Amino acid sequence: MDQVIIRKEKAEDVESNAKVSKWKINIKKRKLLVYTLIYAFLGLLLLLSVIPFWIVLINSTRDGFAISTQGLTIRPGRSLAENYRILTTNANIIPAFFNSLKISTLVTILSGYFSALTAYGFHVYKFKGKNFLFGVILLFMMVPSQMAFLGYVQWMTRLGLMDTHTALIIPSVAAIGTVFFLRAYISSSLSRDLIESARIDGAGELHIFHRIALPLMGPGVATMSIFAFIGSWNNYLSARIILSSKSQETLPMVIASLRAMRIWHQNQGAIYLGFAISIVPIVVVFIFASKYLIENISAGAIKG
Amino acid sequence: MAKVTLKNIAKIYDNGFQAVKNINLEILDKEFMVLVGPSGCGKTTTLRMIAGLEKITLGESYIGETLVNDVEPKNRNIAMVFQNYALYPHMTVYDNLAFGLKIKKTPKDEIKERIERTAKILGIEPLLKNRPKQLSGGQRQRVALGRAIVRKPGVFLMDEPLSNLDAKLRVQMRAELIKLHNELQTTFIYVTHDQTEAMTMGSRICVMHDGVIQQVAEPKTIYNHPANIFVASFIGSPQMNFLQGRLSEKQGKIFATIEGLELELNEEASGKVKEKNYAGKEVMVGIRPEDVYLVNDNEGIQSKAEVSELLGCNLHIYFKINEKQYTLSTSPKVEVGFNERIFVSFDRDKLHLFDKETEETIL
């Protein structure tokens, strides 16, 4: 009798096992389908974002004739050296590259540091008019910077800073958007107890900022630095307005002037090379900072 | 010397809220003082004022003989342990401990030596190279303590340091903190809302409510002679029972009548009642659950048992008299069924009598 029951139970077990494995297979099938679709979509996006870069890179190795007659190709040409020669003899591209690099690096470092300092001040200290001041910051954020160009130029002329890189660097230090972002970031990444603990440990206010707050704000600052760098690297308008002498020119100015040159039609390859050169630092910055960028996007997902 | 003295301290916030009202408290050197009270009673604010993290609105605060109202926290010779540990997450345990010492420009060898000694006391030697993220709650707590110890402060301030730990670990750390206090021979000021922590750890307890000190005394005194109804109800678990009672004098003896049960007060209590002229008056009678007895039928107040909780070492019975619920604590051998009729009586030597108006103790 007992054995019969056991056998019956076993039979039921087998049946339910079969159900479970069928169900598992179904789940697997569904997963496969979903993932295939997701990867197909991501692949498409990847293609869309890579193709323009590819065109620029390939075309910078081909001569103008090939580009205008043969259209798009995936094979690199052999005219890289020739293109480089044409580019450097006709345009000031290398000095402009270093001008841009200098300005962008300084803007990134200074705006990152001072924005963090400002955001920290807003977060940690209580002072009269704090909310009003932050309101003003928000207000300025909504006004396009181009609106202030007239005053900007006038002021820079008075200070005698026209046609200098300083005139491009100093105003960029006050990065309103960065302050706004970092203030939100700091409130989630830095607890007040930590600051108070450091105070009791005997640390001065600047010491606390440098040793405790700044490292903890690191990912946020890095994220904003990417944007600051790209923004400054691509900054054409204010550079065009402030700078006038050839030796001071930045990369976007030179790239823009390439189009006006007579070499344009015969030597498209050289122009593509110019574009390629202008992309390099951004790619480098992205490679180094993308870790922080991803960390930052996923920050807050898991409470530490 | 690390005596802490608070004279007429008050804290009023910008929005007019008065968190602490006129506090006078003297914390002796090497004492373990526990500030206890429900949330919002001003205990943390008081601690933060001692630390210098909160400005004192009125009054004077002394550490040792120095007036510290306007002294920066770093110059007060104090260390503080926070509820959420407040470890620097980007530094290793070693660097966390060394942070304060480095600022003071302590020589490197001494830093190393002090950290090693502290780590040994707390049993965190293997963790020195880890980051706070890699530690468990209990380990983080030890590191937070270590950061305080390593600086050799005159006063330790602790703001609910155990409340983030699980129950078992909390009991363990409680014992370790007592041991630590004995070893370090330093003043501890400890804030908690947990009356068990207060009772077990404090050499003295300061019970606070609504920004006012209710009673400052040794744990035993607080438990056996609570100054008012608030202290009586806050300290002790399960809570003290409160019943309406009437005092009367018969042939020179004082009797308390509670729900029809007449109990003769002992001599000491009778003397106090006579002295303060409470005979013939309505009072509030407090009785702790362990001083309530089950008695034979018709020898006490009749009641109905509602719920019984077996805690292992004792049994709590919740019962009702006139629709009000009370608790008694008895031996687990007693068996009482649901809704069973029971008779209860009280230990006449353990009655607490309170004025109904002022809620202050009469005894």
Side-chain angles (χ1 to χ4, degrees):
Chain A
M1 182 72 174
D2 281 352
Q3 275 180 350
V4 175
I5 291 172
I6 289 169
R7 248 180 238 154
K8 210 175 173 185
E9 275 176 0
K10 268 189 183 163
E12 273 171 10
D13 272 358
V14 171
E15 205 176 297
S16 71
N17 276 345
K19 264 186 195 165
V20 167
S21 52
K22 204 175 169 190
W23 179 70
K24 272 184 184 167
I25 289 169
N26 270 340
I27 292 250
K28 260 187 192 167
K29 268 187 193 164
R30 204 179 298 167
K31 261 190 183 171
L32 195 71
L33 185 72
V34 169
Y35 276 96
T36 317
L37 285 176
I38 289 174
Y39 278 97
F41 180 66
L42 290 178
L44 192 71
L45 286 186
L46 181 72
L47 223 61
L48 281 177
S49 50
V50 164
I51 285 175
F53 280 99
W54 186 250
I55 292 173
V56 169
L57 289 179
I58 294 297
N59 281 357
S60 62
T61 64
R62 300 164 74 201
D63 58 43
F65 181 73
I67 293 170
S68 48
T69 55
Q70 293 163 13
L72 294 177
T73 168
I74 50 166
R75 262 185 309 129
R78 288 187 196 147
S79 310
L80 182 62
E82 175 65 11
N83 284 344
Y84 184 75
R85 199 189 53 75
I86 295 170
L87 188 64
T88 44
T89 47
N90 284 292
N92 244 349
I93 195 136
I94 298 305
F97 180 90
F98 285 106
N99 281 342
S100 273
L101 194 66
K102 179 183 97 184
I103 294 170
S104 301
T105 311
L106 281 172
V107 165
T108 307
I109 293 170
L110 292 176
S111 78
Y113 178 80
F114 285 104
S115 301
L117 198 62
T118 315
Y120 178 78
F122 268 117
H123 177 65
V124 173
Y125 301 110
K126 284 181 194 154
F127 51 88
K128 279 215 173 90
K130 174 171 154 173
N131 287 333
F132 173 76
L133 215 60
F134 201 69
V136 170
I137 286 187
L138 280 185
L139 196 72
F140 279 130
M141 233 174 111
M142 291 166 198
V143 180
S145 60
Q146 286 84 343
M147 300 261 295
F149 265 3
L150 223 55
Y152 172 42
V153 170
Q154 224 171 39
W155 194 39
M156 288 303 144
T157 316
R158 268 192 212 160
L159 290 172
L161 291 174
M162 284 302 277
D163 199 23
T164 63
H165 291 160
T166 317
L168 290 174
I169 295 165
I170 299 291
S172 310
V173 169
I176 292 170
T178 312
V179 171
F180 184 69
F181 172 84
L182 286 179
R183 194 195 176 188
Y185 184 83
I186 197 174
S187 62
S188 68
S189 65
L190 186 68
S191 86
R192 198 169 285 272
D193 284 355
L194 225 52
I195 297 162
E196 290 180 342
S197 173
R199 275 187 196 146
I200 287 177
D201 267 346
E205 297 302 308
L206 266 180
H207 191 88
I208 295 175
F209 173 72
H210 288 133
R211 296 297 311 278
I212 308 288
L214 204 52
L216 292 176
M217 291 166 83
V221 175
T223 308
M224 290 324 281
S225 295
I226 296 173
F227 296 122
F229 187 88
I230 294 172
S232 174
W233 185 258
N234 290 335
N235 181 6
Y236 172 71
L237 195 55
S238 34
R240 181 87 270 171
I241 289 167
I242 294 292
L243 306 175
S244 46
S245 52
K246 265 258 175 296
S247 63
Q248 299 286 65
E249 277 190 334
T250 63
L251 200 56
M253 293 166 76
V254 173
I255 299 281
S257 65
L258 285 180
R259 288 212 284 167
M261 281 185 203
R262 261 182 292 137
I263 59 161
W264 169 242
H265 286 294
Q266 305 92 309
N267 295 300
Q268 283 186 49
I271 292 174
Y272 274 113
L273 183 62
F275 293 160
I277 290 172
S278 78
I279 297 168
V280 170
I282 291 180
V283 172
V284 171
V285 167
F286 238 98
I287 287 170
F288 279 105
S290 66
K291 194 184 92 180
Y292 287 109
L293 196 64
I294 291 163
E295 229 172 64
N296 201 10
I297 288 166
S298 61
I302 299 162
K303 202 166 176 288
Chain B
M1 274 295 283
K3 192 174 81 174
V4 177
T5 316
L6 305 178
K7 283 187 184 163
N8 304 318
I9 294 277
K11 174 75 195 180
I12 304 164
Y13 285 103
D14 291 343
N15 59 12
F17 176 70
Q18 194 163 0
V20 172
K21 299 164 193 163
N22 195 31
I23 277 192
N24 283 291
L25 183 63
E26 188 170 308
I27 299 159
L28 307 174
D29 187 28
K30 296 174 187 169
E31 186 171 33
F32 199 135
M33 173 62 87
V34 179
L35 306 181
V36 68
S39 44
C41 73
K43 55 192 190 300
T44 297
T45 309
T46 307
L47 190 80
R48 289 170 59 84
M49 284 195 282
I50 297 171
L53 296 172
E54 206 82 59
K55 241 185 153 20
I56 296 170
T57 318
L58 292 169
E60 291 169 347
S61 158
Y62 294 87
I63 294 178
E65 303 299 327
T66 335
L67 179 70
V68 292
N69 279 33
D70 296 315
V71 176
E72 292 276 309
K74 59 180 172 183
N75 298 326
R76 291 189 181 203
N77 191 24
I78 50 164
M80 188 156 167
V81 180
F82 292 82
Q83 181 178 352
N84 59 9
Y85 322 129
L87 300 177
Y88 311 125
H90 56 296
M91 298 183 191
T92 61
V93 169
Y94 187 93
D95 288 334
N96 262 285
L97 296 178
F99 187 75
L101 298 176
K102 276 184 191 160
I103 291 168
K104 275 195 196 157
K105 305 244 174 343
T106 316
K108 263 194 174 165
D109 300 341
E110 199 189 327
I111 293 181
K112 195 164 174 253
E113 192 218 306
R114 276 211 222 173
I115 290 178
E116 276 168 4
R117 195 157 5 110
T118 308
K120 205 170 177 185
I121 294 174
L122 295 166
I124 51 172
E125 288 153 302
L127 308 174
L128 287 175
K129 282 182 185 151
N130 292 10
R131 281 177 199 255
K133 229 183 203 170
Q134 300 163 299
L135 308 181
S136 69
Q139 289 169 332
R140 285 181 205 183
Q141 187 56 63
R142 277 164 211 271
V143 176
L145 279 173
R147 200 172 56 184
I149 294 169
V150 83
R151 292 179 41 221
K152 297 187 183 165
V155 184
F156 275 92
L157 307 176
M158 304 190 186
D159 187 5
E160 310 219 7
L162 304 186
S163 55
N164 280 9
L165 301 178
D166 63 63
K168 206 171 163 189
L169 206 54
R170 209 178 304 159
V171 175
Q172 191 189 333
M173 284 302 286
R174 218 158 65 192
E176 287 195 32
L177 276 177
I178 298 169
K179 220 172 75 188
L180 197 67
H181 176 244
N182 285 336
E183 269 172 42
L184 297 175
Q185 291 292 322
T186 316
T187 314
F188 276 42
I189 306 177
Y190 187 102
V191 162
T192 180
H193 63 265
D194 181 348
Q195 56 95 22
T196 320
E197 273 176 29
M199 288 295 292
T200 49
M201 296 167 82
S203 25
R204 278 198 304 160
I205 298 177
C206 167
V207 184
M208 293 180 71
H209 181 47
D210 279 344
V212 179
I213 292 183
Q214 305 291 321
Q215 188 174 10
V216 184
E218 288 169 11
K220 216 172 167 180
T221 315
I222 294 254
Y223 191 78
N224 293 330
H225 303 284
N228 55 36
I229 291 185
F230 176 79
V231 176
S233 63
F234 189 77
I235 300 289
S237 171
Q239 219 187 347
M240 186 187 272
N241 301 301
F242 294 98
L243 302 102
Q244 307 278 355
R246 187 178 187 83
L247 299 176
S248 54
E249 190 172 355
K250 287 177 197 166
Q251 295 149 356
K253 287 173 181 165
I254 299 288
F255 290 87
T257 316
I258 310 152
E259 300 289 345
L261 179 74
E262 198 170 64
L263 293 171
E264 188 193 336
L265 297 189
N266 63 21
E267 250 176 56
E268 191 194 338
S270 301
K272 288 258 174 74
V273 169
K274 279 184 198 164
E275 187 187 307
K276 293 185 182 172
N277 214 7
Y278 272 97
K281 284 186 183 167
E282 291 277 337
V283 290
M284 190 61 90
V285 180
I287 182 84
R288 296 218 179 265
E290 63 267 28
D291 302 325
V292 182
Y293 301 126
L294 289 172
V295 288
N296 294 332
D297 286 9
N298 301 320
E299 281 178 15
I301 307 166
Q302 184 181 329
S303 165
K304 217 189 245 178
E306 293 219 305
V307 181
S308 61
E309 286 176 348
L310 180 64
L311 271 82
C313 55
N314 45 20
L315 176 78
H316 295 161
I317 300 172
Y318 298 88
F319 59 96
K320 263 192 176 167
I321 304 173
N322 284 340
E323 295 306 307
K324 268 189 80 186
Q325 186 171 283
Y326 303 100
T327 322
L328 72 84
S329 174
T330 181
S331 147
K333 287 173 193 157
V334 174
E335 277 181 27
V336 176
F338 174 66
N339 262 350
E340 190 180 319
R341 196 175 62 154
I342 55 170
F343 287 85
V344 295
S345 183
F346 312 121
D347 185 341
R348 68 179 190 124
D349 292 324
K350 298 285 177 64
L351 293 181
H352 301 265
L353 304 178
F354 301 97
D355 186 297
K356 276 182 98 171
E357 300 285 309
T358 61
E359 302 199 343
E360 298 293 320
T361 183
I362 296 169
L363 303 180

